[in-house]
Every structure is written in structure tokens, then in C-alpha cells.
């Protein structure tokens, strides 16, 4: 009775926490403290319960039953530097976003393992200080994506060298978007959500104790969201006139493929290098259907995106300082999928890099505690004035960076 009750408590904790991220595009890779400390380089490495997210084939390393719960806090910052003397520079809102995770693995017999994960494949938190009044409000003043993926997997051990896994995903996504409608000077607040389903698979080949190859795949999910849009008339001294309508649209979760190689040059040191390919070309446009029509004239509003496929390169090193303490470090180079012709203020990303460090402590035979810290930075992004997209002034996004810290706790039954 204690096992399912404990697992249920961990999942409920995850469900009650907010979900946002500061990501390339809006993909999320912060799936555990250990994994993030290693730059996400976990596709071929010796497993912990978070391998359900990185490569579920690896959970065949894990005896018995294990559960892990964790969270990552992300504090982004950037400055929008307007090149017009008539406009005031604007910073990102001073906010901290959270990413919770929870995992459970169970060895069924000598050949089969079950794994279940609750984590986020995508997330976004873009908020501008004083967003209702800043110069970019006609394009975007706030954009948020909250998501949870529920991911059961069956892993199969064919030999001591080779394992495979297959899984299904059920993803919940909430999409929020605030902007000001031009001419009417009306603030619109979109809040829509929905569910969609996908597949995943993984494999690992470990010919020697010191060498392993890993491969993981997650399918594209086209997630339709439906919800409400609220309109608030601005600059009205009496209580503003508020109206509400229905809205719907489709948000893609892109297909991704990860390949990695792990080597152990010495017994206590493991090194892994991965590449991640993401099919961001699936995001061609953001199209929203309004009911009733926006301003009585526009039943459908579409914003061209035309994103491009990307590569992410990640490297992680783990050193067993003692039998109970591991030290970790990681590095990531992550390409931006944004098409410069259609860049906007909702997803103000560019190529980014991350450095991370962390540690793991095996408290006893049952408990493991992992922690990490990471620093993310992006190259500056220049926006040309494009009035057709409601970017009315030339602007430079400068000094975009984020601090990240996280904790994971594992219990082995």
C-alpha cells in the first residue's frame, strides 16, 4: 500500500507546480537534476529513473522498484533596447519559472521493465515588465506554454549488451497569449488548452562496460487547443468594457531524434556526447480561429513562422569522487529554429549555450539526492521594424541569459 500511495503523492506534487521554461524554440530538456548537470547527455549513460525521459531503454539497468521526484527553477533575464529615442528600453519581467518531474520504474522480471514519467517536453514563459504599455504590446506582451507529458514505457532486455523500449505519450498543453489589438486599442488575453497523444522509442547497445551507444525518438504531436479569449478596452476611466469569445488553434510538439556515445576512459569517469535533431519545420504558422470573428471581421488570424529544423550538441562528464559522491559537469550548444523573416516577441530566442555543474549523494542504500546549477546565455538578436507584424520600431534583444538550479530525490524500494 505504501508504494502506490507514495508514487501518487509525488505525481500530485508535480501536477500542482507551475510549468514554464526558457528554451530554444519552446522545447524543454531539463528532466532531472542529474541529467541537466550532464547537459542532457543521458541517452547512452548508466540509468536512473529519469532515463524514462532521456532514453527508456536504459531503465533495464535498474533493479527492483525506484521512484524519483524533482524540480528545476529558471530565472531568465534580457533587455529590449529600442533604437528609437521616443521609446523606453524594456526588461523581461522579474519572474522565476518552475519545471517539476516525477518518475517510477519497476523491474518485472529478468527481461522486462516498466517505466512511467511525468515531465514537460515543451514550455515557454515570456513576460515583459509593464507589458500593457510597452512598445511591443501589439505583437506580444505575454506568452506562456504549460505542459505535462504522461509517458508509460515497456523496456526489454534482449541480452547484457542490448535493450529496447517503446512507449506512448499523453500530453496536456495550456497556451496563453496576451497582446493589444491595434486600432481598437483593446487588450486580448487568450487561454486555451487540450490533449494529444504520441509515441516514443529507445535503444541502447553496450558492447563493453566502458562503451555504450544510445538512440531515442519521440514522435511529433499536433496538439489542438480550445478555450477563451477575453477583450478589455483600455484607457477607459469607468470600468472597462469586457467581452469574451471562443478560440481554437493547433500547436505542434516536434519530432526529435537523439543519438549519443558514452565512454569510460577510467573506471570512475564517464564521458558522453550526444546530438539531438528536432523537426521544427513542423511549425509553419500560428493560426487561431475566433468565434465570434475578431473585431467582427477576422474569423481566422494566422502568423507566419516557417521555423527550421535544428541540431543540439550536448556533452556531459561524471566522476565518482567516492563510493557515495558523484561530481558532474555539462555543456550544450543549441541552435535556434527561428526564421529571421518572421521573428517576434513571443519566442525571443537565438542560438544558446549552457554550462552546468552538479553533484549526487548516495545517502544510503535507499536514498539518492542530486543537485545542479546551470547558466544559459544567448547571442543578441536584432529585430528590424516590420509594421505588418506590429513590430513598429527597430529593437535589439540584449544580454539574454538565465540562471537555473534544480533538485531530484530518488528512493529505491
Amino acid at each position: 500500500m505504501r508504494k502506490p500511495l507514495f508514487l501518487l503523492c509525488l505525481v500530485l506534487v508535480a501536477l500542482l507546480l507551475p510549468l514554464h521554461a526558457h528554451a530554444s524554440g519552446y522545447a524543454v530538456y531539463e528532466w532531472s537534476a542529474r541529467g541537466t548537470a550532464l547537459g542532457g547527455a543521458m541517452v547512452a549513460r548508466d540509468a536512473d529513473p529519469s532515463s524514462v525521459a532521456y532514453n527508456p531503454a536504459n531503465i533495464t539497468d535498474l533493479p527492483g522498484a525506484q521512484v524519483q521526484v524533482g524540480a528545476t527553477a529558471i530565472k531568465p533575464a534580457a533587455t529590449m533596447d529600442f533604437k528609437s529615442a521616443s521609446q523606453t528600453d524594456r526588461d523581461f519581467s522579474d519572474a522565476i519559472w518552475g519545471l517539476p518531474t516525477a518518475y517510477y520504474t519497476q523491474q518485472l522480471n529478468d527481461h522486462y521493465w516498466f517505466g512511467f514519467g511525468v515531465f514537460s517536453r515543451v514550455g515557454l514563459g515570456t513576460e515583459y515588465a509593464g507589458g500593457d504599455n510597452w512598445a511591443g504590446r501589439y505583437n506580444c506582451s505575454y506568452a506562456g506554454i504549460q505542459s505535462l507529458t504522461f509517458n508509460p514505457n515497456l523496456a526489454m532486455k534482449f541480452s547484457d549488451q542490448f535493450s529496447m523500449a517503446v512507449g506512448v505519450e499523453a500530453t496536456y498543453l495550456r497556451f496563453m497569449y496576451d497582446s493589444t489589438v491595434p486600432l481598437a486599442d483593446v487588450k486580448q488575453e487568450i487561454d486555451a488548452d487540450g490533449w494529444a497523444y504520441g509515441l516514443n522509442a529507445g535503444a541502447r547497445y553496450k558492447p563493453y562496460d566502458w562503451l555504450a551507444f544510445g538512440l531515442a525518438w519521440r514522435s511529433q504531436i499536433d496538439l489542438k487547443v480550445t478555450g477563451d479569449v477575453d477583450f478589455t478596452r483600455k484607457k477607459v476611466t469607468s470600468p472597462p468594457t469586457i467581452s469574451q469569445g471562443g478560440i481554437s488553434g493547433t500547436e505542434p510538439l516536434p519530432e526529435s531524434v537523439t543519438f549519443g556515445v558514452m565512454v569510460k576512459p577510467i573506471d570512475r569517469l564517464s564521458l558522453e556526447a550526444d546530438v539531438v535533431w528536432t523537426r521544427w519545420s513542423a511549425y509553419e504558422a500560428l493560426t487561431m480561429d475566433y468565434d465570434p470573428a475578431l473585431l467582427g471581421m477576422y474569423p481566422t488570424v494566422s502568423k507566419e513562422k516557417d521555423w527550421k529544423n535544428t541540431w543540439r550538441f550536448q556533452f556531459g562528464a561524471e566522476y565518482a569522487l567516492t563510493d557515495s559522491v558523484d561530481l558532474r559537469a555539462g555543456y550544450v550548444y543549441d541552435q535556434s529554429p527561428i526564421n529571421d523573416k518572421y521573428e517576434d516577441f513571443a519566442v525571443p530566442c537565438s542560438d544558446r549555450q549552457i554550462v552546468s555543474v552538479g553533484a549526487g549523494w548516495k545517502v544510503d542504500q535507499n536514498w539518492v539526492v542530486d543537485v545542479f546549477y546551470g547558466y544559459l546565455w544567448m547571442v543578441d538578436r536584432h529585430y528590424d521594424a516590420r509594421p505588418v507584424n506590429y513590430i513598429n520600431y527597430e529593437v535589439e534583444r540584449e544580454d539574454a541569459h538565465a540562471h537555473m538550479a534544480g533538485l531530484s530525490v530518488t528512493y529505491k524500494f
Side-chain angles (χ1 to χ4, degrees):
M1 179 64 184
R2 285 184 297 175
K3 292 182 181 180
L5 181 60
F6 185 49
L7 177 62
L8 178 61
C9 291
L10 296 181
V11 174
L12 287 175
V13 168
L15 291 174
L16 292 172
L17 288 172
L19 292 159
H20 287 272
H22 193 64
S24 182
Y26 46 86
V28 170
Y29 302 95
E30 289 75 25
W31 295 328
S32 72
R34 179 182 179 226
T36 310
L38 293 166
M42 289 275 288
V43 73
R45 189 179 297 279
D46 295 345
D48 69 16
S50 70
S51 296
V52 170
Y54 293 101
N55 183 359
N58 299 355
I59 67 173
T60 58
D61 290 342
L62 304 177
Q66 301 188 23
V67 65
Q68 182 187 101
V69 64
T72 295
I74 304 174
K75 188 179 188 307
T79 297
M80 305 300 283
D81 179 15
F82 286 92
K83 303 307 177 182
S84 170
S86 65
Q87 299 300 319
T88 303
D89 296 347
R90 194 60 59 104
D91 293 332
F92 278 18
S93 181
D94 189 16
I96 297 177
W97 311 113
L99 286 165
T101 56
Y103 305 98
Y104 176 74
T105 62
Q106 173 71 61
Q107 183 178 2
L108 304 176
N109 55 41
D110 289 342
H111 299 286
Y112 293 96
W113 277 253
F114 172 76
F116 183 78
V118 181
F119 55 96
S120 299
R121 279 186 61 185
V122 294
L124 177 68
T126 304
E127 185 173 13
Y128 296 96
D132 288 350
N133 300 310
W134 89 293
R137 63 189 179 274
Y138 299 109
N139 183 269
C140 176
S141 55
Y142 168 75
I145 293 175
Q146 299 177 338
S147 78
L148 275 180
T149 290
F150 300 84
N151 184 206
N153 290 266
L154 180 67
M156 298 154 282
K157 187 174 184 179
F158 293 91
S159 68
D160 289 341
Q161 291 77 38
F162 183 67
S163 297
M164 290 185 63
V166 293
V168 296
E169 298 183 7
T171 296
Y172 168 80
L173 185 143
R174 182 185 179 194
F175 173 79
M176 296 156 287
Y177 196 99
D178 297 352
S179 63
T180 297
V181 180
L183 302 178
D185 203 30
V186 169
K187 179 180 179 179
Q188 68 166 343
E189 298 173 278
I190 296 171
D191 194 339
D193 62 0
W195 287 84
Y197 306 92
L199 301 172
N200 69 284
R204 185 179 66 175
Y205 177 57
K206 191 175 182 180
Y208 307 102
D209 288 341
W210 57 269
L211 177 65
F213 304 89
L215 182 68
W217 168 78
R218 292 194 177 273
S219 70
Q220 178 176 322
I221 299 175
D222 292 320
L223 203 153
K224 183 176 181 179
V225 295
T226 59
D228 300 317
V229 54
D230 293 334
F231 297 97
T232 305
R233 190 172 300 280
K234 301 165 69 176
K235 298 180 182 178
V236 177
T237 55
S238 60
T241 301
I242 298 177
S243 63
Q244 187 178 73
I247 197 163
S248 63
T250 300
E251 192 81 11
L253 278 65
E255 176 188 16
S256 68
V257 180
T258 305
F259 174 76
V261 180
M262 185 277 297
V263 297
K264 292 183 178 179
I266 59 175
D267 187 52
R268 288 184 173 272
L269 176 65
S270 62
L271 307 174
E272 180 170 327
D274 297 351
V275 293
V276 183
W277 176 82
T278 305
R279 192 192 294 273
W280 279 116
S281 58
Y283 195 23
E284 298 176 351
L286 175 61
T287 301
M288 305 302 293
D289 297 318
Y290 289 79
D291 183 20
L294 178 64
L295 300 179
M297 297 182 290
Y298 305 104
T300 299
V301 175
S302 185
K303 297 181 179 180
E304 194 79 16
K305 299 297 182 182
D306 195 23
W307 283 13
K308 58 189 178 184
N309 299 330
T310 61
W311 293 93
R312 171 183 165 107
F313 305 93
Q314 51 196 32
F315 174 81
E318 185 171 51
Y319 180 73
L321 183 65
T322 69
D323 290 342
S324 60
V325 176
D326 295 327
L327 302 180
R328 301 168 185 134
Y331 171 77
V332 174
Y333 180 83
D334 206 356
Q335 293 180 338
S336 167
I338 303 294
N339 183 328
D340 291 345
K341 290 172 58 179
Y342 306 113
E343 60 195 356
D344 60 23
F345 297 143
V347 189
C349 83
S350 50
D351 291 357
R352 66 177 189 161
Q353 299 179 68
I354 305 170
V355 291
S356 54
V357 293
W361 177 33
K362 300 177 182 67
V363 181
D364 54 30
Q365 291 184 344
N366 301 105
W367 292 96
V368 179
V369 177
D370 298 304
V371 296
F372 91 94
Y373 168 79
Y375 181 77
L376 175 154
W377 71 97
M378 290 192 263
V379 298
D380 292 347
R381 172 171 284 280
H382 180 81
Y383 295 80
D384 290 321
R386 298 197 320 275
V388 67
N389 299 122
Y390 307 113
I391 298 177
N392 297 321
Y393 305 93
E394 182 182 1
V395 63
E396 190 93 8
R397 194 218 58 224
E398 299 176 341
D399 191 29
H401 64 276
H403 298 278
M404 303 184 293
L407 168 72
S408 296
V409 178
T410 302
Y411 183 77
K412 303 175 183 180
F413 292 97

